[in-house]
Structures are given as C-alpha cells and as structure tokens.
Amino acid sequence: MDSYQHILLAVDYSEQGDVVAGKAQELAKKYQAKLSIIHVLDNISMPDTTYGTVIPLDQDSGYGLLETEKNRLMQVGDQLGVAQANRWLIWGSPKQEIVPLAEQQQVDLIVIGSHGRHGLALLLGSTANSVLHHARCDVMAVRLLNA
Ligand code: AMP
C-alpha cells in the first residue's frame, strides 16, 4: 500500500507515548490522512456500563474519574490536532476494543507502541501482540527502547 487514508493511534499515556504519537502524527501528515485516537478505559470500574460502550466526550457524566479520563484524552487530541469527532474513549479491554473500532471507522493503519504499561519483559506487549494478530489492516508497532 502506498498511501493511508485513516490512521488510528492507540493512546495509553505510558512514558514513551509521545514517541508513538509523534510517529502517528508524522504518518498522518505524510499521507494527508485523517488521524483518530482511541483510549480504552481498562483501569476504572463502571458498574452500569458494558464493555465496548463509547463514552461521549461532550457530556458531563458527573463521575469524577471519568471526567479526568475525558480531559486527558481531550488534551492529547488538542496537542495532535485531532478533530473532536475522531477522539474515542471506550470502556473495556484494549485487546478487544481497538480492532473493532478500527474496522468500524475504516481505519487502514493502526499505530501502537511495542510496549506500554503492560509487558515490559516481553518482546511485544500483550495489547500490541493481540492487535497485530487480529487487525485486518496494517499495524505499525513503534519500537520503544528500554523495554
Ligand atoms: P501493551 O501491549 O499493553 O504493553 O501496550 C502496547 C501499546 O498498546 C501501547 O503503547 C498503546 O499504543 C496500546 N495500548 C495499551 N493499552 C491501551 C489502552 N488502554 N488504550 C489504548 N491503547 C492502549
């Protein structure tokens, strides 16, 4: 493939996340592609919400932790110049939510870190491994050193 039209960056706020984000931004610029971002909420419990629920970013949930998460994603989106409609906050497991969203949004390249918050001792982190195995589009696993 010589051109990408829609790139999805998987954001986990890990230390080297900026390196991964920089690569996604660079590729989006190079190919003049749409850039979307996703963060999967796997670290806060939301008893009334089923896995895979998209959390609306423009409505106040009245739930403090969720507002913090929304603001975090909004900040990354602002920094990268990602349109509001292309920022995705989804409740669930990153291994299960990134690929379906990519398919639904007709993404043709997913950009992830080789490692994030999990799996520093592995060749590839568990999210990266799962996305690489299941995605039907291209996946760029940005190699993060010191991992
Ligand atoms: P891991 O395989 O979990 O060590 O993480 C590898 C990469 O997967 C990270 O650098 C992120 O790009 C992505 N990732 C991990 N967790 C999440 C998450 N909760 N939401 C979105 N992307 C994630």
Side-chain angles (χ1 to χ4, degrees):
M1 177 176 276
D2 57 5
S3 171
Y4 293 107
Q5 291 178 349
H6 191 181
I7 296 172
L8 177 66
L9 165 67
V11 175
D12 72 344
Y13 312 115
S14 56
E15 248 178 54
Q16 298 186 75
D18 286 355
V19 177
V20 185
K23 186 61 88 174
Q25 204 175 25
E26 185 187 314
L27 288 166
K29 205 170 159 190
K30 175 173 177 181
Y31 292 111
Q32 299 192 326
K34 175 160 109 179
L35 180 61
S36 293
I37 54 176
I38 179 173
H39 176 67
V40 184
L41 279 176
D42 61 344
N43 58 350
I44 63 173
S45 59
M46 291 174 44
D48 298 332
T49 308
T50 51
Y51 266 31
T53 301
V54 176
I55 314 288
L57 292 167
D58 57 352
Q59 284 167 32
D60 191 345
S61 66
Y63 182 20
L65 271 177
L66 193 50
E67 293 314 304
T68 307
E69 291 291 345
K70 286 183 185 180
N71 291 336
R72 243 173 145 189
L73 191 66
M74 290 305 244
Q75 254 182 25
V76 174
D78 289 347
Q79 273 164 16
L80 298 174
V82 174
Q84 298 268 352
N86 303 333
R87 303 173 184 184
W88 298 93
L89 186 61
I90 297 181
W91 161 241
S93 150
K95 283 182 226 163
Q96 282 169 23
E97 304 303 335
I98 295 172
V99 170
L101 181 88
E103 282 172 16
Q104 200 187 88
Q105 296 300 312
Q106 298 176 317
V107 162
D108 46 19
L109 177 67
I110 300 172
V111 178
I112 53 175
S114 56
H115 303 83
R117 292 173 300 155
H118 325 99
L120 290 187
L122 304 170
L123 187 59
L124 270 181
S126 59
T127 310
N129 191 46
S130 175
V131 170
L132 276 157
H133 271 100
H134 294 107
R136 292 196 221 150
C137 63
D138 287 359
V139 178
M140 172 179 278
V142 180
R143 188 184 177 90
L144 299 174
L145 297 175
N146 203 16

Coordinates of all heavy atoms in Angstrom, one line a residue, residues 11 13 37-39 55-59 66-89:
V11 N -3.7 5.2 22.4 CA -3.1 6.0 23.4 C -3.2 5.3 24.8 O -4.3 5.0 25.2 CB -3.8 7.4 23.5 CG1 -3.3 8.2 24.6 CG2 -3.8 8.1 22.2
Y13 N -1.1 6.6 27.5 CA -0.4 7.5 28.4 C 0.8 7.0 29.1 O 1.2 7.4 30.2 CB -1.4 8.0 29.5 CG -2.8 8.4 29.0 CD1 -3.9 7.7 29.3 CD2 -2.9 9.6 28.2 CE1 -5.1 8.1 28.8 CE2 -4.1 9.9 27.7 CZ -5.2 9.2 28.0 OH -6.5 9.6 27.5
I37 N -7.8 9.0 17.5 CA -7.2 8.5 18.7 C -8.2 7.7 19.5 O -9.4 8.0 19.5 CB -6.5 9.6 19.5 CG1 -7.6 10.6 19.9 CG2 -5.3 10.2 18.9 CD1 -7.0 11.7 20.9
I38 N -7.7 6.6 20.1 CA -8.5 5.8 21.0 C -7.8 5.6 22.3 O -6.6 5.3 22.3 CB -8.9 4.5 20.3 CG1 -9.8 3.6 21.3 CG2 -7.7 3.7 19.9 CD1 -10.3 2.3 20.7
H39 N -8.5 5.7 23.4 CA -8.1 5.2 24.7 C -9.1 4.3 25.2 O -10.3 4.6 25.2 CB -7.8 6.3 25.7 CG -7.3 5.8 27.0 ND1 -6.2 5.1 27.2 CD2 -8.0 5.8 28.2 CE1 -6.1 4.7 28.5 NE2 -7.2 5.1 29.1
I55 N -17.8 6.2 25.3 CA -18.2 7.3 26.3 C -18.2 8.6 25.6 O -17.2 9.0 25.0 CB -17.1 7.4 27.4 CG1 -16.7 6.0 27.9 CG2 -17.5 8.3 28.5 CD1 -17.6 5.3 28.8
P56 N -19.4 9.3 25.6 CA -19.5 10.6 25.0 C -18.6 11.6 25.6 O -18.6 11.7 26.9 CB -20.9 11.0 25.1 CG -21.6 9.9 25.9 CD -20.6 8.9 26.3
L57 N -17.8 12.3 24.8 CA -16.8 13.2 25.4 C -17.4 14.6 25.7 O -16.9 15.4 26.5 CB -15.6 13.4 24.5 CG -14.7 12.1 24.3 CD1 -13.8 12.3 23.1 CD2 -13.9 11.9 25.6
D58 N -18.6 14.8 25.1 CA -19.1 16.2 25.2 C -20.3 16.2 26.3 O -21.0 17.2 26.3 CB -19.6 16.6 23.9 CG -20.6 15.7 23.3 OD1 -20.8 14.6 23.9 OD2 -21.3 16.0 22.3
Q59 N -20.4 15.2 27.1 CA -21.5 15.2 28.1 C -20.9 15.0 29.5 O -20.0 14.1 29.6 CB -22.5 14.1 27.8 CG -23.5 14.5 26.7 CD -24.3 13.2 26.3 OE1 -24.5 12.4 27.1 NE2 -24.6 13.1 25.0
L66 N -14.1 9.6 35.5 CA -14.4 9.6 34.1 C -14.1 11.0 33.5 O -13.6 11.1 32.4 CB -15.9 9.2 33.9 CG -16.3 8.9 32.5 CD1 -15.3 7.8 31.9 CD2 -17.7 8.3 32.5
E67 N -14.4 12.0 34.2 CA -14.2 13.4 33.7 C -12.6 13.6 33.5 O -12.2 14.2 32.6 CB -14.7 14.5 34.6 CG -16.3 14.5 34.7 CD -16.9 14.4 33.3 OE1 -16.6 15.3 32.5 OE2 -17.7 13.5 33.1
T68 N -11.9 13.0 34.5 CA -10.4 13.1 34.4 C -9.9 12.4 33.1 O -9.1 12.9 32.4 CB -9.8 12.4 35.6 OG1 -10.4 13.0 36.8 CG2 -8.3 12.6 35.7
E69 N -10.5 11.2 32.9 CA -10.1 10.5 31.7 C -10.5 11.2 30.4 O -9.7 11.2 29.4 CB -10.7 9.1 31.7 CG -10.2 8.2 32.8 CD -8.8 7.7 32.5 OE1 -8.3 7.9 31.4 OE2 -8.1 7.2 33.5
K70 N -11.6 11.8 30.4 CA -12.1 12.5 29.2 C -11.1 13.7 29.0 O -10.7 13.9 27.8 CB -13.5 13.1 29.4 CG -14.6 12.1 29.4 CD -15.9 12.9 29.5 CE -17.1 12.0 29.6 NZ -18.3 12.7 29.7
N71 N -10.8 14.4 30.0 CA -9.9 15.6 29.9 C -8.5 15.2 29.4 O -7.9 15.9 28.5 CB -9.7 16.3 31.2 CG -11.0 17.0 31.6 OD1 -11.9 17.3 30.7 ND2 -11.2 17.3 32.9
R72 N -8.1 14.0 29.9 CA -6.8 13.5 29.4 C -6.7 13.3 27.9 O -5.8 13.6 27.2 CB -6.5 12.2 30.1 CG -5.4 12.1 31.1 CD -5.4 10.8 31.7 NE -4.1 10.3 32.0 CZ -3.9 9.1 32.4 NH1 -4.9 8.3 32.7 NH2 -2.7 8.7 32.7
L73 N -7.8 12.6 27.4 CA -7.9 12.3 26.0 C -8.0 13.6 25.2 O -7.5 13.7 24.1 CB -9.0 11.3 25.7 CG -9.0 10.7 24.3 CD1 -7.7 9.9 24.1 CD2 -10.2 9.9 24.0
M74 N -8.8 14.5 25.7 CA -9.0 15.8 25.0 C -7.7 16.5 24.9 O -7.4 17.1 23.8 CB -10.0 16.7 25.8 CG -11.4 16.1 25.7 SD -12.0 15.9 24.1 CE -13.3 17.0 24.0
Q75 N -6.9 16.5 25.9 CA -5.6 17.1 25.9 C -4.7 16.6 24.8 O -4.1 17.3 24.0 CB -4.9 16.9 27.2 CG -4.8 18.2 28.1 CD -4.1 17.9 29.3 OE1 -3.2 17.1 29.4 NE2 -4.4 18.7 30.4
V76 N -4.7 15.2 24.7 CA -3.9 14.6 23.7 C -4.4 14.9 22.3 O -3.7 15.3 21.4 CB -3.9 13.0 23.9 CG1 -3.2 12.3 22.7 CG2 -3.2 12.7 25.2
G77 N -5.7 14.9 22.2 CA -6.4 15.3 20.9 C -6.0 16.7 20.5 O -5.7 17.0 19.3
D78 N -6.1 17.6 21.5 CA -5.7 19.0 21.2 C -4.3 19.1 20.7 O -4.0 19.8 19.7 CB -6.0 19.9 22.4 CG -7.5 20.1 22.7 OD1 -8.3 19.7 21.8 OD2 -7.8 20.6 23.8
Q79 N -3.4 18.4 21.4 CA -2.0 18.5 21.1 C -1.7 18.0 19.7 O -0.9 18.6 19.0 CB -1.2 17.6 22.1 CG -0.7 18.3 23.3 CD -0.3 17.3 24.4 OE1 0.0 16.1 24.1 NE2 -0.2 17.7 25.6
L80 N -2.4 17.0 19.3 CA -2.2 16.4 18.0 C -3.1 17.0 16.9 O -2.9 16.6 15.7 CB -2.4 14.8 18.0 CG -1.5 14.1 19.0 CD1 -1.9 12.6 19.1 CD2 -0.1 14.2 18.5
G81 N -3.9 17.8 17.3 CA -4.8 18.5 16.3 C -5.9 17.5 15.7 O -6.2 17.5 14.5
V82 N -6.3 16.6 16.6 CA -7.3 15.6 16.1 C -8.7 16.2 16.3 O -9.0 16.7 17.3 CB -7.2 14.3 17.0 CG1 -8.3 13.3 16.7 CG2 -5.8 13.6 16.8
A83 N -9.5 16.0 15.2 CA -10.9 16.6 15.3 C -11.7 15.9 16.4 O -11.4 14.7 16.7 CB -11.6 16.3 14.0
Q84 N -12.6 16.6 17.1 CA -13.3 16.1 18.2 C -14.0 14.8 17.9 O -14.0 13.9 18.7 CB -14.4 17.1 18.6 CG -13.9 18.5 19.0 CD -13.7 18.6 20.5 OE1 -14.1 17.7 21.3 NE2 -13.1 19.6 21.0
A85 N -14.6 14.7 16.7 CA -15.3 13.5 16.3 C -14.4 12.3 16.1 O -14.9 11.2 16.1 CB -16.1 13.8 15.0
N86 N -13.1 12.5 16.1 CA -12.2 11.4 15.9 C -11.5 11.0 17.2 O -10.4 10.4 17.1 CB -11.2 11.7 14.8 CG -11.9 12.1 13.5 OD1 -13.0 11.6 13.2 ND2 -11.2 12.9 12.7
R87 N -12.0 11.4 18.3 CA -11.5 11.0 19.6 C -12.4 10.0 20.3 O -13.6 10.3 20.5 CB -11.3 12.2 20.5 CG -10.5 13.4 19.9 CD -10.6 14.6 20.7 NE -9.9 15.7 20.0 CZ -9.7 16.9 20.5 NH1 -10.1 17.2 21.7 NH2 -9.1 17.9 19.8
W88 N -11.8 8.8 20.6 CA -12.7 7.7 21.1 C -12.2 7.3 22.5 O -11.1 6.9 22.6 CB -12.6 6.5 20.1 CG -13.1 6.9 18.7 CD1 -12.4 7.3 17.7 CD2 -14.5 6.8 18.3 NE1 -13.2 7.5 16.6 CE2 -14.5 7.2 17.0 CE3 -15.7 6.5 18.9 CZ2 -15.7 7.3 16.2 CZ3 -16.8 6.5 18.2 CH2 -16.8 6.9 16.9
L89 N -13.2 7.3 23.4 CA -13.0 6.8 24.7 C -13.9 5.7 24.9 O -15.2 5.9 24.8 CB -13.2 7.9 25.7 CG -12.9 7.6 27.2 CD1 -11.4 7.3 27.4 CD2 -13.3 8.8 28.1

